[in-house]
Amino acid sequence: MPHRPLEGIRVADFSWVWAGPFCTLQLAHLGAEVIRIETATRPCITRQIPPWPNGKPGLNRSGYFNQYNQGKRSLTLNLKQPQALEIAKQVVAKSDIVVENFAGGVMDRMGLGYETLKQLKPDIVMIALSGYGATGPEKEHISYGPAQVPLSGLSSLTGYKGWRPMHVGISYGDPNGGLHGAFAVLCALMYRARTGKGQYIDLSQWETSTAMVAEGLLDYSMNGTQPERDGNHDAYMSPHGVFRSAGEDRWVSLAVRDDNEWRRFCHVIGQPALATDPRFATLTARKQHEEALDALITAWTSTRSAEEATAQLQAVGVPAAPSMSNKDLSTDQHLTSRPIFTYLKHPEVGKQQHVGIPWLLSKTPLAVQRPAPLLGQDTDYVLHDLLGYSAEEIGVMREQQVLT
């Protein structure tokens, strides 16, 4: 069987919550051995939030944590103790990558900054996925994903005409920063393969989030204008939006890209005369009368299911799709025919469905190797197999609360 792309690469993962773990999830998917360095005295927030299988909470039972930590290991260390800090450094010395997503300066104050760690492993690749980067006046501020949405400008672009800015629904800063981070780490590994040198990656989640609103920034920089919030409408397509369909809270999304598609759309909905109606015959006219146009479309979509409307529109080349719920996604025929979903048997919550590896590599087939770890599940493995401590030494460290 072909080697996985990052097989033989080890990650010392000091990250928590979402951005850092989402970064290391990608590395684990690619075959790296990811060792989460955790503590029971301050467990990861995501171990403590729902969803819980059968509604029963527990540090090893969070669906949130178990999704984003597939394929990883867990080592518990009380880093307030000098011996635990020394063990952490020993893990780094045996690793290729270090990942952290604390506020700027935290790792340095802990004695685990890059300048210290590269003395232990000169070719180490270290990435810090902080909220605001390692330099600048905001560097020491703590940040969470919800703050990145308004700070990045996403909220200023999100909302309905005449409404105030709105939140976009999820904390885009976290997964977006995590994916940028994984890509940056891969680039650094390629650099190391060519030069033998490691490097420090300073990632600002604020900046990676801002990169998602380039069109808005360009509009202002080139034209001095702030893009207007306009719901699900589009400046260059009409109709364009999400429309109510038959059934409880069911919706269908559609987009008409040009006048030819508009004519086909009118035939599908049984109103061919609308194609030449002066109010709707051109994009400019349709944009001017968009409220009336949306009402006409809703009158049609609301009498049929999202799936029926989708099939009729797609049959004539008009882009359309149901707005899917989590249940829809987990049972979708197309998705379930591909290996996006994986079923992992977890010691505490049993066999559960997870979103697995979201890409297919023809030359290096990949699969999730194990479910998310129990808290401290791999402590003995790391200390004994990787670092060479005896069972007696490990026992003493447990008694002294080093391994908590």
Side-chain angles (χ1 to χ4, degrees):
M1 182 176 177
H3 289 297
R4 293 175 292 161
L6 294 186
E7 194 165 329
I9 296 293
R10 182 174 294 117
V11 181
D13 183 5
F14 292 87
S15 69
W16 69 333
V17 195
W18 195 3
F22 199 63
C23 170
T24 56
L25 176 66
Q26 315 313 314
L27 304 179
H29 282 341
L30 288 166
E33 180 182 53
V34 177
I35 300 173
R36 283 185 57 99
I37 297 170
E38 305 188 82
T39 176
T41 63
R42 193 183 182 190
C44 183
I45 292 170
T46 57
R47 284 190 178 275
Q48 305 173 71
I49 59 177
W52 315 106
N54 304 316
K56 180 181 177 182
L59 290 178
N60 299 313
R61 298 179 57 82
S62 167
Y64 192 133
F65 179 89
N66 290 344
Q67 168 61 39
Y68 295 119
N69 291 281
Q70 300 170 66
K72 303 179 189 179
R73 299 185 184 276
S74 173
L75 161 68
T76 47
L77 291 175
N78 181 2
L79 292 176
K80 294 181 179 179
Q81 296 211 24
Q83 189 173 8
L85 191 63
E86 181 59 31
I87 291 171
K89 292 178 179 179
Q90 292 170 11
V91 173
V92 170
K94 295 278 189 178
S95 299
D96 302 277
I97 302 163
V98 174
V99 179
E100 61 100 350
N101 64 323
F102 301 116
V106 170
M107 288 289 277
D108 290 298
R109 291 192 291 272
M110 291 172 63
L112 295 169
Y114 176 65
E115 294 302 321
T116 298
L117 299 184
K118 75 175 183 179
Q119 301 303 316
L120 304 172
K121 186 76 182 298
D123 65 348
I124 198 75
V125 171
M126 183 174 183
I127 181 169
L129 301 100
S130 63
Y132 307 103
T135 61
E138 312 288 347
K139 65 181 181 180
E140 294 186 0
H141 289 182
I142 295 172
S143 175
Y144 285 91
Q148 302 299 337
V149 173
L151 280 170
S152 69
L154 273 170
S155 290
S156 74
L157 300 174
T158 304
Y160 297 99
K161 186 172 291 187
W163 285 34
R164 294 172 296 177
M166 296 177 67
H167 199 278
V168 296
I170 71 163
S171 302
Y172 270 106
D174 286 293
N176 180 63
L179 288 175
H180 276 80
F183 180 77
V185 166
L186 296 179
C187 293
L189 288 176
M190 293 178 66
Y191 171 80
R192 191 182 73 163
R194 292 197 308 270
T195 68
K197 299 177 181 179
Q199 59 182 295
Y200 179 75
I201 302 166
D202 171 19
L203 183 146
S204 160
Q205 292 178 47
W206 187 5
E207 292 167 25
T208 58
S209 297
T210 300
M212 294 192 293
V213 297
E215 297 92 335
L217 289 169
L218 285 170
D219 195 359
Y220 181 78
S221 64
M222 293 189 300
N223 304 315
T225 57
Q226 169 69 24
E228 183 182 16
R229 290 181 290 279
D230 199 14
N232 291 309
H233 292 141
D234 184 89
Y236 306 104
M237 291 183 278
S238 183
H240 183 284
V242 182
F243 299 87
R244 183 174 293 279
S245 59
E248 184 178 355
D249 198 25
R250 299 292 293 169
W251 304 80
V252 60
S253 60
L254 60 91
V256 171
R257 295 168 291 186
D258 55 41
D259 293 343
N260 287 329
E261 280 188 6
W262 169 242
R263 286 188 284 272
R264 295 198 299 274
F265 180 87
C266 293
H267 280 277
V268 166
I269 68 173
Q271 298 195 57
L274 289 177
T276 55
D277 187 318
R279 296 174 300 165
F280 309 124
T282 66
L283 171 63
T284 301
R286 291 193 294 276
K287 291 298 294 182
Q288 289 175 346
H289 300 91
E290 205 152 35
E291 185 174 342
L293 178 60
D294 287 352
L296 285 169
I297 294 170
T298 300
W300 180 77
T301 59
S302 62
T303 62
R304 51 197 30 82
S305 70
E307 291 74 19
E308 181 185 356
T310 294
Q312 289 183 262
L313 293 170
Q314 287 185 357
V316 296
V318 175
S323 180
M324 302 184 79
S325 67
N326 295 326
K327 178 181 179 181
D328 295 333
L329 289 169
S330 67
T331 59
D332 181 78
Q333 184 177 6
H334 176 79
L335 292 178
T336 55
S337 71
R338 294 164 59 84
I340 180 62
F341 296 120
T342 185
Y343 291 83
L344 302 172
K345 190 174 182 180
H346 186 276
E348 285 201 21
V349 301
K351 195 172 185 179
Q352 301 289 341
Q353 183 186 43
H354 296 266
V355 177
I357 301 174
W359 58 78
L360 300 174
L361 303 180
S362 62
K363 301 297 183 182
T364 49
L366 300 172
V368 179
Q369 300 299 301
R370 62 178 70 84
L374 305 178
L375 182 63
Q377 175 179 315
D378 303 287
T379 298
D380 284 11
Y381 157 77
V382 174
L383 293 176
H384 181 271
D385 294 17
L386 183 59
L387 302 182
Y389 286 95
S390 67
E392 291 75 15
E393 290 172 315
I394 295 171
V396 170
M397 285 189 281
R398 279 206 166 86
E399 291 176 1
Q400 295 176 345
Q401 301 296 300
V402 173
L403 310 178
T404 56

